[in-house]
Amino acid sequence: MMGKDWGRSADVLKILSIVGVIMTFQYLIGPLLQAVSKPHYAAAMVWGHGALSVLALVAAGVHLKHAATDRQVLGIAVVRLAVAVLFFTPVIFYFLRRICQISFSQFVKIVLPSFAASGIAAVVVMTVNATLSVTVPAIFVLVAGVAVGALVATGTLVALDSRLRELLLSGWSQTWGTPSKDSVDTVVP
């Protein structure tokens, strides 16, 4: 199921995962534009992104027509990344600044805990992969990497993001009630 043939796709998947991170902000900007009665901006953003993507992919296809398949696939992934970075990222910041009055530094401050949690989880997953890949079947390495990565990313994000912690504690209190001082004192030595 997972062997050396899939290993060659790792670089392409890394590039496409960066594209995915950038494009997740589309799910924020589209509803935002609709909420402030600017659906035509959302349509222009989506259509502009689509048109630019088609043009860039056609150009890459023509340029890489005689290249090896691995190189063509990598070229398409790089083009997708270039379009996301050069077109979509400026559009995101433009709308965040114009509609929400969120500056670049405020944006970085908001997303930094998520990026830090992702980075720390990536390092942990790479360590798990390097440690287990020699002795354990690939499927178990994958399951262990996903499980450990999810736990580390979640724990790190909760530790770094005070607003998320407050939200989780509020949800816990609403669901299970706030523990009394006596019950906390008896549980914790």
Side-chain angles (χ1 to χ4, degrees):
M1 181 165 95
M2 298 181 323
K4 294 177 183 169
D5 291 337
W6 286 101
R8 298 184 320 197
S9 66
D11 292 335
V12 172
L13 292 175
K14 290 174 191 174
I15 293 169
L16 291 176
S17 68
I18 296 169
V19 172
V21 168
I22 294 170
M23 296 308 293
T24 57
F25 291 101
Q26 178 179 0
Y27 300 116
L28 165 75
I29 299 298
L32 171 69
L33 292 172
Q34 291 180 7
V36 296
S37 298
K38 306 283 187 199
H40 54 286
Y41 287 168
M45 176 184 68
V46 171
W47 280 97
H49 181 257
L52 189 58
S53 293
V54 167
L55 291 173
L57 289 170
V58 167
V62 168
H63 178 72
L64 297 169
K65 180 171 42 176
H66 299 295
T69 304
D70 290 353
R71 192 166 163 99
Q72 289 176 349
V73 172
L74 184 62
I76 289 170
V78 169
V79 165
R80 297 261 341 256
L81 178 61
V83 169
V85 169
L86 298 175
F87 172 79
F88 202 72
T89 302
V91 168
I92 291 169
F93 288 119
Y94 172 77
F95 286 128
L96 286 176
R97 181 75 181 145
R98 180 146 187 230
I99 294 172
C100 299
Q101 285 81 40
I102 295 176
S103 69
F104 181 75
S105 61
Q106 289 170 318
F107 176 79
V108 169
K109 184 178 177 184
I110 290 168
V111 299
L112 191 60
S114 298
F115 284 178
S118 298
I120 291 168
V123 169
V124 170
V125 168
M126 286 188 283
T127 304
V128 167
N129 288 345
T131 305
L132 296 180
S133 64
V134 177
T135 59
V136 179
I139 190 69
F140 295 119
V141 175
L142 176 64
V143 170
V146 169
V148 170
L151 289 172
V152 168
T154 302
T156 304
L157 186 57
V158 169
L160 294 177
D161 192 334
S162 61
R163 288 181 292 170
L164 177 61
R165 261 193 324 277
E166 290 171 12
L167 179 68
L168 291 173
L169 289 173
S170 171
W172 179 270
S173 295
Q174 289 176 2
T175 305
W176 302 104
T178 305
S180 68
K181 185 176 179 348
D182 296 334
S183 66
V184 171
D185 289 340
T186 58
V187 172
V188 178

